[in-house]
Amino acid sequence: MQGRPTIRNPAFSHPSPIPTPAPSDTIPTQLHHAPGHWTTGLCHCFDDPANCVITCVCPCITFGQVAEIVSRGSKCKVHIFSCFSRGLLYGVLLGFTGCACFYSFLYRSKLRGQYDLEEEPCNDCLVHFCCCPLALCQEYRDLKNRGFDMEIGWEANMDRQKRGVAMTPIVIPGMTR
């Protein structure tokens, strides 16, 4: 246990090791999940009731937030523009054609590729075609559970992560003999 930071757990008399993940410049490292698995199920919308309501009333908002993170920002420095433009395109497609799912499933596929997630319960296009609000909620929750603050966009998440990486954790030395 030498060289590993430890903290004292008040409930126990011995120190417990804390794993220190390597910093990453591409995704938050706050939470770790098993590769290949979604952090929540497709039908677990009520795990985040506020997002569930927003997605049911105006799915273009949730889609814009998910697309912003999945596409890792855009060339434009203004967060609201990239989130807004993707959400607007989704809303126009939904309003005029009713087939926004053929646009949104591409971002689900991209998200699965980034995190090596299983294609479940079926093909991405079918998931978005049959239950698009559920799919959008699942994608939103998954990114949120992976450490992203969905309301602030990609650039602000990266700035927040860089500030967090620069801070050194408080380490209590372990017992020595």
Side-chain angles (χ1 to χ4, degrees):
M1 268 205 232
Q2 288 182 344
R4 294 183 68 183
T6 59
I7 61 166
R8 294 204 186 270
N9 187 339
F12 302 101
S13 61
H14 65 291
S16 60
I18 296 177
T20 53
S24 169
D25 289 337
T26 57
I27 57 174
T29 56
Q30 296 172 346
L31 304 172
H32 298 281
H33 301 280
H37 298 288
W38 292 88
T39 61
T40 64
L42 183 64
C43 296
H44 295 165
C45 292
F46 292 109
D47 289 352
D48 188 345
N51 175 252
C52 180
V53 169
I54 289 169
T55 304
C56 287
V57 172
C58 191
C60 55
I61 292 173
T62 301
F63 174 76
Q65 292 172 325
V66 168
E68 164 88 12
I69 301 297
V70 170
S71 65
R72 297 185 176 185
S74 67
K75 302 292 182 202
C76 181
K77 293 288 184 192
V78 182
H79 155 67
I80 189 88
F81 179 72
S82 79
C83 177
F84 176 77
S85 63
R86 289 181 182 103
L88 181 64
L89 179 57
Y90 180 87
V92 168
L93 287 171
L94 184 63
F96 287 109
T97 67
C99 295
C101 61
F102 296 119
Y103 173 53
S104 60
F105 92 90
L106 297 171
Y107 286 91
R108 183 178 182 87
S109 296
K110 195 172 183 178
L111 174 65
R112 278 191 326 93
Q114 288 173 354
Y115 293 102
D116 193 30
L117 300 171
E118 296 171 353
E119 190 172 27
E120 62 179 16
C122 57
N123 179 291
D124 294 334
C125 187
L126 268 166
V127 171
H128 269 264
F129 183 75
C130 295
C131 42
C132 194
L134 296 175
L136 290 173
C137 286
Q138 182 187 30
E139 295 157 15
Y140 180 96
R141 287 189 317 273
D142 194 84
L143 289 168
K144 190 174 178 180
N145 291 341
R146 292 180 189 277
F148 289 101
D149 182 347
M150 300 301 289
E151 282 79 32
I152 64 174
W154 176 258
E155 293 293 326
N157 272 291
M158 291 301 99
D159 289 344
R160 181 179 283 179
Q161 181 186 3
K162 286 176 186 171
R163 282 194 315 267
V165 169
M167 296 181 345
T168 57
I170 299 171
V171 178
I172 300 171
M175 295 173 32
T176 58
R177 292 183 187 224

